[in-house]
Amino acid sequence: MPPFLQDALDLARFRIKPLEHYSYDWWQPVGWLMLLSVLPVLGGSLPGFSLGQHLALAIGMNWFRVLFFVFFFGWWLRRTPAGQARLAGGSLFPLLVLLGSSDLLLPLLANLPQGVGILMLLVLKGYQLGLALRALAVATGNTVQQVALGTLLSIPVLLVVMLLLSILLSVAGVNPEQLLPRPAGAPKVVG
């Protein structure tokens, strides 16, 4: 089995190695992130979106999520001596991409009854959060509390980034309501 896939399975079983271990050819984490973005979309597109629009949205959102956390946690974990030493030896990008591997289960959840599907989605997201906290702590030599504090701090930072993006769109003359799909027969938004 290729080392990249073996590491994905090891991470899923909480077998975490130092950050330096997660170094691969550039195309492996990029390809894996694209696969993780595309597979859930193939199960069905969002109402009001074409398949191409849904793919573009899913790919863009996954790249934004991973890159935001790479830069944010890179900054946050460098605040500690242990994180500074470990981050000098490797990149968070492959590790954060591998941590999203459990998203491969999302198409299976779509086939469950609604109540069970929502419950299983909450369980999956809780598992992903616990795995991410533990993996970032072990791989960078920080404590789980330090990583959890960084996760809590990332929420307002992410909200500020989204607010700035909204302001930039409005300065560019783009009305955010124009970006949303409209049901058939709905009146056109005039901005």
Side-chain angles (χ1 to χ4, degrees):
M1 178 176 293
F4 189 83
L5 296 178
Q6 184 63 47
D7 287 341
L9 290 174
D10 285 346
L11 274 174
R13 295 179 288 188
F14 284 85
R15 295 181 183 166
I16 302 155
K17 299 175 177 90
L19 188 62
E20 298 83 24
H21 174 80
Y22 301 104
S23 59
Y24 313 98
D25 292 332
W26 67 270
W27 59 270
Q28 290 177 323
V30 168
W32 193 248
L33 182 58
M34 295 299 282
L35 179 71
L36 292 174
S37 301
V38 169
L39 276 182
V41 173
L42 296 179
S45 64
L46 291 172
F49 283 93
S50 69
L51 182 61
Q53 290 171 324
H54 192 183
L55 280 171
L57 179 67
I59 291 168
M61 291 300 292
N62 265 349
W63 273 96
F64 175 77
R65 176 183 54 88
V66 169
L67 291 177
F68 172 79
F69 284 115
V70 164
F71 290 117
F72 181 81
F73 275 107
W75 169 80
W76 176 254
L77 295 175
R78 278 189 176 83
R79 303 287 159 241
T80 63
Q84 205 169 31
R86 284 274 177 92
L87 288 173
S91 170
L92 288 173
F93 182 73
L95 176 62
L96 288 171
V97 170
L98 285 171
L99 286 173
S101 296
S102 56
D103 282 345
L104 292 173
L105 299 174
L106 288 176
L108 298 175
L109 297 181
N111 296 327
L112 296 174
Q114 186 176 7
V116 175
I118 291 172
L119 179 63
M120 293 308 294
L121 180 64
L122 288 173
V123 168
L124 178 64
K125 292 305 175 181
Y127 163 78
Q128 284 180 327
L129 178 62
L131 178 61
L133 291 175
R134 181 82 177 130
L136 284 169
V138 170
T140 61
N142 284 291
T143 64
V144 174
Q145 292 82 7
Q146 178 78 10
V147 175
L149 187 60
T151 302
L152 290 175
L153 181 63
S154 71
I155 294 169
V157 172
L158 190 56
L159 290 174
V160 168
V161 168
M162 291 184 336
L163 178 66
L164 290 174
L165 181 59
S166 176
I167 291 170
L168 286 174
L169 284 174
S170 66
V171 167
V174 177
N175 183 355
E177 292 178 8
Q178 293 172 338
L179 299 175
L180 298 175
R182 289 181 291 125
K188 185 175 181 180
V189 177
V190 179

